[in-house]
Amino acid sequence: MTTRIALLGAGGVARRHAEVLHGLDDVQVVAVSDPVRSAAEALAAECGATAFTDADAALDAQPVDAAYVCVPPFAHGEPERAVLARGLPMFVEKPVAADLATGEELAALVADAGVATGTGYHWRCLDVLPEAQDLLAASPPLLAAGYWLDKRPPVPWWSHADRSGGQVVEQLTHVIDLARLLLGEAVEVYAAGARRADDPGGDIDRGDIDDVTVATLRFGSGAVATLTATSLLRAKRRAALDVTAPGLVLELSEAGLVVDNGETRRERRPTEDPKVTVDREFVEVVRGERERTSAPYAEALESHRLACAVTESARTGVPVLLGSAVEAAR
């Protein structure tokens, strides 16, 4: 049986998913929707699908087995509601929204609908992660340092907090999600941000987001971490999480795992691209061949919540308590 997919959104990320889905057995993208008709038509033509400018029409025109929501952060909400109203399995690209309230609302709707979900936190699909988790189980981590040192994406909405959520929410969120997976839940966040005073490229819309952000996180496990993000560069320099445990340093990124015990340094690369794995897992769940994905919506929301806490602390200059720390303070 062919698994029929509707793509809601026709930008670069949707095109990447379409290419991966095309390479999977018995999967077909049958509908593509985007408010920009030319974008929907272009991607639909590549997929052999039908183009729409409306999500409801794309979901109702022909039978579909699941939907992918691949829209900019500010556009989350209506597409997910349309999918959930029809009880369809749903894959949502990260971040799940530009703000926290939308993500929380949608998470409640997901829980009520009881549908299978997957999200774009594909770093969780790195097949080197089980080794990292085993090593850290034997030697619990006390320190981590995460980085997203990059350039500004060219899309105009990215520089505006109400559109993208900012760099922490839109990019660093991958590293935040991995930190949660390996260190547990954060209980306190303190962050600071800064913007450059000069503007040599005056024709560029710099928006209102910070150019740099640094955060300190305290975890319920006792571990602490620093996170550093910047969009001041001309090209991506580093996106990674370094984890330190007694006698051990792990370096994790989309490219794989480095294990350094002070005597030897060993590198492992993934045997499958995690961007492929994340789609394959979701399709397997839709087909009933797998129980759950590595990053269901509820997990994505918790990572989004932590990213929003970092952004809030950087904006206000005040530490933010989370989870058990909030309960203890009451």
Coordinates of all heavy atoms in Angstrom, one line a residue, residues 189-242:
V189 N 17.2 28.9 34.0 CA 17.9 29.5 32.9 C 18.2 30.9 33.2 O 17.4 31.7 33.7 CB 17.0 29.4 31.6 CG1 17.6 30.2 30.5 CG2 16.7 28.0 31.2
Y190 N 19.4 31.3 32.8 CA 19.8 32.7 32.8 C 20.5 33.0 31.5 O 21.4 32.3 31.1 CB 20.6 33.2 34.0 CG 21.1 34.6 33.9 CD1 20.2 35.6 34.0 CD2 22.4 34.9 33.5 CE1 20.5 36.9 33.9 CE2 22.8 36.2 33.3 CZ 21.8 37.2 33.5 OH 22.2 38.6 33.3
A191 N 20.0 34.1 30.8 CA 20.6 34.4 29.5 C 20.8 35.9 29.3 O 20.1 36.7 30.0 CB 19.7 33.8 28.4
A192 N 21.7 36.2 28.4 CA 21.9 37.6 28.1 C 22.1 37.7 26.5 O 22.7 36.7 26.0 CB 23.1 38.2 28.8
G193 N 21.7 38.7 25.9 CA 21.9 38.9 24.5 C 22.4 40.3 24.2 O 22.4 41.2 25.0
A194 N 22.9 40.4 23.0 CA 23.4 41.7 22.5 C 23.2 41.9 21.0 O 23.2 40.9 20.3 CB 24.9 41.8 22.9
R195 N 23.1 43.2 20.6 CA 23.0 43.5 19.2 C 24.2 44.4 18.8 O 24.6 45.3 19.6 CB 21.7 44.2 18.9 CG 20.5 43.3 19.0 CD 19.2 44.1 19.0 NE 19.0 45.0 18.0 CZ 18.6 44.8 16.7 NH1 18.3 43.5 16.4 NH2 18.5 45.7 15.8
R196 N 24.7 44.3 17.6 CA 25.7 45.2 17.2 C 25.2 46.6 17.0 O 24.0 46.8 16.6 CB 26.3 44.7 15.9 CG 25.4 44.7 14.7 CD 26.0 44.0 13.5 NE 27.2 44.6 13.0 CZ 27.9 44.2 12.0 NH1 27.5 43.1 11.3 NH2 28.9 44.8 11.6
A197 N 26.0 47.6 17.4 CA 25.6 49.0 17.3 C 25.6 49.6 15.9 O 24.8 50.4 15.5 CB 26.4 49.8 18.3
D198 N 26.6 49.1 15.1 CA 26.7 49.6 13.8 C 25.9 48.8 12.8 O 25.5 47.7 13.1 CB 28.2 49.6 13.3 CG 28.8 48.2 13.3 OD1 28.4 47.4 14.2 OD2 29.6 47.9 12.4
D199 N 25.7 49.3 11.6 CA 24.9 48.6 10.6 C 25.5 48.9 9.2 O 25.0 49.7 8.5 CB 23.5 49.1 10.6 CG 22.6 48.2 9.7 OD1 23.1 47.2 9.2 OD2 21.4 48.6 9.5
P200 N 26.7 48.2 8.9 CA 27.4 48.5 7.7 C 26.5 48.1 6.5 O 26.7 48.7 5.4 CB 28.7 47.6 7.8 CG 28.3 46.6 8.8 CD 27.4 47.2 9.7
G201 N 25.7 47.1 6.6 CA 24.8 46.7 5.5 C 23.4 47.3 5.7 O 22.5 46.6 6.0
G202 N 23.3 48.6 5.5 CA 22.1 49.3 5.8 C 20.9 48.9 5.0 O 19.8 49.2 5.4
D203 N 21.1 48.2 3.9 CA 20.0 47.8 3.1 C 19.4 46.4 3.6 O 18.5 45.9 3.0 CB 20.5 47.6 1.6 CG 21.7 46.6 1.5 OD1 22.4 46.4 2.5 OD2 21.8 46.0 0.4
I204 N 20.0 45.9 4.6 CA 19.6 44.6 5.2 C 18.7 44.9 6.4 O 19.0 45.7 7.2 CB 20.8 43.7 5.6 CG1 21.7 43.4 4.4 CG2 20.3 42.4 6.3 CD1 22.9 42.7 4.8
D205 N 17.5 44.2 6.4 CA 16.6 44.3 7.5 C 17.1 43.5 8.7 O 17.0 42.3 8.7 CB 15.2 43.8 7.1 CG 14.2 44.0 8.2 OD1 14.5 44.6 9.2 OD2 13.0 43.5 8.0
R206 N 17.7 44.3 9.7 CA 18.3 43.6 10.8 C 17.2 43.2 11.9 O 17.5 42.4 12.8 CB 19.3 44.5 11.5 CG 20.5 44.7 10.5 CD 21.6 45.5 11.2 NE 22.1 44.8 12.4 CZ 22.0 45.3 13.6 NH1 21.3 46.5 13.8 NH2 22.4 44.7 14.7
G207 N 16.0 43.7 11.7 CA 14.9 43.3 12.6 C 15.2 43.7 14.1 O 15.8 44.7 14.4
D208 N 14.7 42.8 15.0 CA 14.8 43.2 16.4 C 15.3 42.0 17.2 O 15.2 42.1 18.5 CB 13.4 43.6 16.9 CG 12.4 42.4 16.7 OD1 12.7 41.4 16.2 OD2 11.2 42.6 17.1
I209 N 15.9 41.0 16.6 CA 16.5 39.9 17.4 C 17.9 40.2 17.8 O 18.6 41.0 17.1 CB 16.4 38.6 16.7 CG1 17.3 38.6 15.4 CG2 14.9 38.3 16.3 CD1 17.4 37.2 14.7
D210 N 18.4 39.5 18.8 CA 19.8 39.6 19.2 C 20.7 39.0 18.2 O 20.4 38.0 17.6 CB 20.0 38.9 20.6 CG 19.4 39.7 21.7 OD1 19.3 40.9 21.6 OD2 19.0 39.0 22.7
D211 N 21.9 39.6 18.1 CA 23.0 39.1 17.2 C 23.7 38.0 17.9 O 24.3 37.1 17.3 CB 23.9 40.2 16.8 CG 23.3 41.2 15.9 OD1 22.6 40.8 14.9 OD2 23.5 42.4 16.1
V212 N 23.8 38.0 19.2 CA 24.5 37.0 20.0 C 23.6 36.7 21.3 O 23.0 37.6 21.8 CB 25.9 37.4 20.4 CG1 26.8 37.7 19.2 CG2 25.9 38.7 21.3
T213 N 23.7 35.5 21.7 CA 23.0 35.1 23.0 C 23.9 34.1 23.7 O 24.5 33.2 23.1 CB 21.7 34.4 22.7 OG1 20.9 35.3 21.9 CG2 20.9 34.1 24.0
V214 N 24.0 34.3 25.0 CA 24.7 33.3 25.9 C 23.8 33.0 27.0 O 23.2 33.9 27.6 CB 26.1 33.9 26.4 CG1 26.7 32.9 27.4 CG2 27.0 34.3 25.3
A215 N 23.7 31.7 27.3 CA 22.8 31.3 28.4 C 23.5 30.3 29.3 O 24.4 29.5 28.9 CB 21.5 30.6 27.8
T216 N 23.1 30.3 30.6 CA 23.6 29.3 31.6 C 22.3 28.5 32.0 O 21.3 29.1 32.4 CB 24.2 29.9 32.8 OG1 25.4 30.7 32.3 CG2 24.7 28.9 33.8
L217 N 22.4 27.2 31.9 CA 21.3 26.3 32.3 C 21.7 25.5 33.5 O 22.8 24.9 33.5 CB 20.9 25.5 31.1 CG 20.0 26.1 30.0 CD1 20.8 27.2 29.3 CD2 19.6 25.0 29.0
R218 N 20.8 25.3 34.4 CA 20.9 24.3 35.5 C 19.9 23.3 35.4 O 18.7 23.5 35.2 CB 20.8 25.1 36.9 CG 21.1 24.2 38.1 CD 21.2 25.0 39.3 NE 20.0 25.8 39.6 CZ 18.9 25.4 40.2 NH1 18.9 24.1 40.7 NH2 17.9 26.1 40.4
F219 N 20.3 22.0 35.4 CA 19.5 20.8 35.2 C 19.1 20.2 36.5 O 19.9 20.2 37.5 CB 20.1 19.8 34.3 CG 20.3 20.3 32.9 CD1 21.3 21.2 32.5 CD2 19.4 20.0 31.9 CE1 21.4 21.7 31.2 CE2 19.5 20.4 30.6 CZ 20.5 21.3 30.2
G220 N 18.0 19.5 36.5 CA 17.6 18.8 37.7 C 18.5 17.7 38.1 O 18.6 17.3 39.3
S221 N 19.3 17.2 37.1 CA 20.3 16.1 37.4 C 21.5 16.6 38.2 O 22.3 15.8 38.6 CB 20.7 15.5 36.1 OG 21.4 16.5 35.3
G222 N 21.6 18.0 38.3 CA 22.8 18.5 38.9 C 23.8 19.1 37.9 O 24.7 19.8 38.3
A223 N 23.6 18.8 36.6 CA 24.5 19.3 35.6 C 24.2 20.7 35.3 O 23.1 21.2 35.5 CB 24.3 18.4 34.3
V224 N 25.2 21.4 34.7 CA 25.1 22.8 34.3 C 25.6 22.8 32.8 O 26.4 22.0 32.4 CB 25.8 23.8 35.1 CG1 25.2 23.8 36.5 CG2 27.3 23.4 35.2
A225 N 25.1 23.8 32.1 CA 25.5 24.0 30.7 C 25.5 25.4 30.3 O 24.8 26.3 30.9 CB 24.5 23.2 29.8
T226 N 26.3 25.7 29.3 CA 26.3 27.0 28.7 C 25.9 26.8 27.2 O 26.2 25.8 26.6 CB 27.6 27.7 28.7 OG1 28.6 26.9 28.0 CG2 28.1 28.0 30.1
L227 N 25.1 27.8 26.7 CA 24.7 27.8 25.3 C 25.2 29.1 24.7 O 25.0 30.2 25.3 CB 23.2 27.7 25.2 CG 22.6 26.4 25.8 CD1 21.0 26.5 25.7 CD2 23.1 25.2 25.1
T228 N 25.7 29.1 23.5 CA 26.2 30.2 22.8 C 25.7 30.2 21.4 O 25.8 29.2 20.7 CB 27.7 30.3 22.8 OG1 28.3 30.2 24.1 CG2 28.3 31.5 22.1
A229 N 25.1 31.4 21.0 CA 24.5 31.5 19.6 C 24.9 32.8 19.0 O 24.9 33.8 19.7 CB 23.0 31.3 19.6
T230 N 25.2 32.8 17.7 CA 25.4 34.1 17.0 C 25.0 33.9 15.6 O 25.1 32.8 15.0 CB 26.8 34.6 17.1 OG1 26.9 35.9 16.4 CG2 27.8 33.6 16.4
S231 N 24.5 35.0 15.0 CA 24.2 35.0 13.5 C 25.1 36.0 12.8 O 24.7 36.5 11.7 CB 22.7 35.3 13.3 OG 22.4 36.5 13.9
L232 N 26.2 36.4 13.4 CA 27.1 37.5 12.8 C 28.0 37.0 11.7 O 28.7 37.8 11.1 CB 27.9 38.1 14.0 CG 27.2 39.0 15.0 CD1 28.1 39.4 16.1 CD2 26.6 40.2 14.3
L233 N 28.1 35.7 11.5 CA 29.1 35.2 10.6 C 28.7 35.1 9.2 O 27.5 35.3 8.9 CB 29.5 33.8 11.1 CG 30.0 33.7 12.6 CD1 30.4 32.2 12.9 CD2 31.1 34.6 12.9
R234 N 29.6 34.9 8.3 CA 29.3 34.8 6.8 C 28.9 33.3 6.4 O 28.4 33.1 5.3 CB 30.5 35.3 6.0 CG 30.7 36.7 6.1 CD 31.8 37.2 5.1 NE 32.0 38.6 5.2 CZ 32.9 39.2 6.0 NH1 33.7 38.5 6.8 NH2 33.0 40.6 6.0
A235 N 29.2 32.4 7.3 CA 28.9 31.0 7.0 C 28.9 30.2 8.4 O 29.4 30.7 9.4 CB 30.0 30.3 6.2
K236 N 28.2 29.1 8.4 CA 28.1 28.3 9.6 C 29.5 27.9 10.0 O 30.2 27.3 9.3 CB 27.2 27.1 9.5 CG 27.0 26.3 10.8 CD 26.2 25.0 10.6 CE 24.8 25.3 10.4 NZ 24.0 24.1 10.4
R237 N 29.8 28.1 11.3 CA 31.1 27.7 11.8 C 31.0 26.4 12.7 O 31.7 25.5 12.6 CB 31.8 28.8 12.6 CG 33.1 28.4 13.2 CD 33.8 29.6 13.9 NE 35.1 29.2 14.4 CZ 35.4 28.6 15.5 NH1 34.4 28.3 16.4 NH2 36.6 28.3 15.9
R238 N 29.9 26.4 13.6 CA 29.8 25.3 14.4 C 28.4 25.2 14.9 O 27.8 26.2 15.3 CB 30.7 25.4 15.6 CG 30.8 24.0 16.4 CD 31.9 24.0 17.4 NE 32.1 22.7 17.9 CZ 32.4 22.3 19.2 NH1 32.5 23.3 20.1 NH2 32.5 21.1 19.5
A239 N 27.8 24.0 15.0 CA 26.5 23.7 15.6 C 26.7 22.4 16.3 O 26.8 21.3 15.6 CB 25.4 23.6 14.6
A240 N 26.8 22.4 17.6 CA 27.3 21.1 18.3 C 27.0 21.3 19.8 O 26.7 22.3 20.3 CB 28.7 20.9 18.1
L241 N 27.0 20.1 20.5 CA 26.9 20.0 21.9 C 28.1 19.2 22.4 O 28.3 18.0 22.0 CB 25.6 19.4 22.3 CG 25.4 19.2 23.9 CD1 25.2 20.6 24.5 CD2 24.2 18.3 24.2
D242 N 28.9 19.8 23.3 CA 30.0 19.1 24.0 C 29.6 18.7 25.4 O 29.1 19.6 26.1 CB 31.3 20.0 24.1 CG 31.8 20.3 22.7 OD1 31.4 19.7 21.7 OD2 32.6 21.3 22.6

